[in-house]
Amino acid sequence: MNTYKADFLLLLAAIIWGGAFVAQRMGMDHIGPLWFNGIRFGLGCLSLLPLIWYRRKKGITLPFLYPTNRNTFLKAGFLVGTLLFLASILQQVGIVYTTAGKAGFITGLYVVMVPLLGLFWKQRPGLGVWIGVILAATGLYFLSITEEFTIAYGDFLVFLCAMVFSLHVLAIGWFAPRVDCIELASFQFGLTSILSLWAALFLEDISWQALKGAVIPILYGGFMSAGIAFTLQIVAQRDAPPAHAAIIMSLESVFAALAGWFILGETLNVREIFGCILMFAGMLTAQLWPLLRNHRAEIST
């Protein structure tokens, strides 16, 4: 029953994250990407504070009383926060020029980029990762590359976003055993908010009327996507088998396409749908192949 409950919570998180691409797309009809991200991630930071308070009260958080711990936390926070700022602004600007569904699938490429970037740390990807890369790259060609061998501006920005997200995932993987992940998430959301708002003051205009029109997408992106979905993921992954988590969380891109079709009326042609299928297959292969290999090794021993 714990496994079923965890899978259900992960499914809710994937649905919320898929819908966030639509919220981001709708928000751009009213305010600029920097203002949107600044307010959205500010709300995301605040939404995690009650959970942080509860964990500290229960004593289930890592201590930061020693200077070494604080220094590590601050280094981690500023690094992952800066990477999140860069990735989120690339995604937010890119989504103006592409569809929510395509943005969801292209962003999901970070799943296969992470093990490839691990080559720089002398981490050798297995056969499943290379198969996943080939499938995902072929899928990206059908989804975004035109017959003139050009890529749309929005798709290219989201692709760059996926690359930065890959670095973000690697950085979190490095610091996760050393700091509290919930507090690190809140810190990175807060830093992303500050950087976005500071840049927005110089680069974008805003009015109360525009902000009022974007309030629903902002609230969804802040509280639902950053706060609730992130908490659901943390709670669920304590009981969800890794294979279940990999499959369910990959569905985020599928739900993004479905939400874009149902809410925004976005459609994909046959070529683009085939590209999405290949990309989804590549994501699953890259995630599940190592898990299946480890499972076989455990059985054999």
Side-chain angles (χ1 to χ4, degrees):
M1 290 301 297
N2 285 341
T3 299
Y4 290 139
K5 179 180 178 181
D7 288 352
F8 177 71
L9 294 179
L10 284 174
L11 183 63
L12 285 180
I15 292 172
I16 292 172
W17 281 326
F21 286 95
V22 172
Q24 291 173 244
R25 188 72 180 81
M26 294 174 66
M28 294 302 90
D29 293 335
H30 304 279
I31 61 177
L34 288 167
W35 278 113
F36 184 88
N37 276 349
I39 302 172
R40 169 198 177 192
F41 282 107
L43 293 175
C45 172
L46 294 176
S47 68
L48 291 179
L49 295 183
L51 180 60
I52 292 173
W53 173 83
Y54 175 80
R55 286 163 55 85
R56 285 189 174 184
K57 183 179 179 181
K58 295 294 183 179
I60 53 177
T61 182
L62 296 178
F64 299 105
L65 299 178
Y66 303 103
T68 303
N69 292 25
R70 288 200 300 270
N71 291 339
T72 301
F73 179 81
L74 290 176
K75 289 178 182 177
F78 280 107
L79 176 59
V80 301
T82 302
L83 289 173
L84 179 62
F85 165 73
L86 294 174
S88 62
I89 194 60
L90 284 169
Q91 183 186 70
Q92 197 61 45
V93 175
I95 209 169
V96 175
Y97 302 99
T98 189
T99 65
K102 292 176 71 173
F105 275 97
I106 297 173
T107 301
L109 282 176
Y110 77 88
V111 170
V112 294
M113 291 181 181
V114 167
L116 288 181
L117 290 175
L119 288 171
F120 293 99
W121 286 269
K122 298 181 179 180
Q123 300 173 1
R124 296 182 178 179
L127 176 61
V129 172
W130 291 112
I131 295 175
V133 168
I134 293 172
L135 289 172
T138 306
L140 179 64
Y141 170 79
F142 284 102
L143 180 66
S144 300
I145 307 298
T146 66
E147 294 179 356
E148 292 78 21
F149 210 74
T150 59
I151 185 170
Y153 178 63
D155 293 351
F156 178 68
L157 290 180
V158 179
F159 178 76
L160 292 180
C161 154
M163 294 184 65
V164 180
F165 264 133
S166 304
L167 297 173
H168 179 260
V169 170
L170 288 171
I172 289 182
W174 171 260
F175 285 110
R178 300 166 176 80
V179 300
D180 184 89
C181 292
I182 304 296
E183 299 198 9
L184 179 62
S186 182
F187 186 94
Q188 69 168 352
F189 290 161
L191 181 61
T192 300
S193 174
I194 292 171
L195 293 175
S196 298
L197 291 174
W198 180 81
L201 290 174
F202 298 96
L203 300 175
E204 295 178 355
D205 297 322
I206 194 172
S207 66
W208 286 111
Q209 188 65 28
L211 185 60
K212 183 179 178 181
V215 66
I216 299 300
I218 289 175
L219 289 175
Y220 186 97
F223 287 117
M224 294 293 291
S225 179
I228 294 177
F230 182 81
T231 304
L232 289 174
Q233 179 194 4
I234 295 297
V235 172
Q237 287 200 261
R238 293 183 302 183
D239 298 312
H244 292 204
I247 294 173
I248 296 172
M249 292 174 66
S250 294
L251 291 175
E252 172 190 351
S253 57
V254 178
F255 289 126
L258 291 175
W261 165 72
F262 183 74
I263 299 175
L264 301 178
E266 297 176 347
T267 58
L268 299 173
N269 58 39
V270 175
R271 174 190 173 94
E272 292 169 337
I273 292 174
F274 181 62
C276 289
I277 293 173
L278 289 176
M279 293 177 70
F280 185 61
M283 294 176 207
L284 288 182
T285 302
Q287 293 183 84
L288 295 183
W289 193 289
L291 298 175
L292 294 174
R293 184 184 59 190
N294 294 338
H295 181 64
R296 293 194 194 99
E298 291 174 2
I299 293 176
S300 62
T301 56

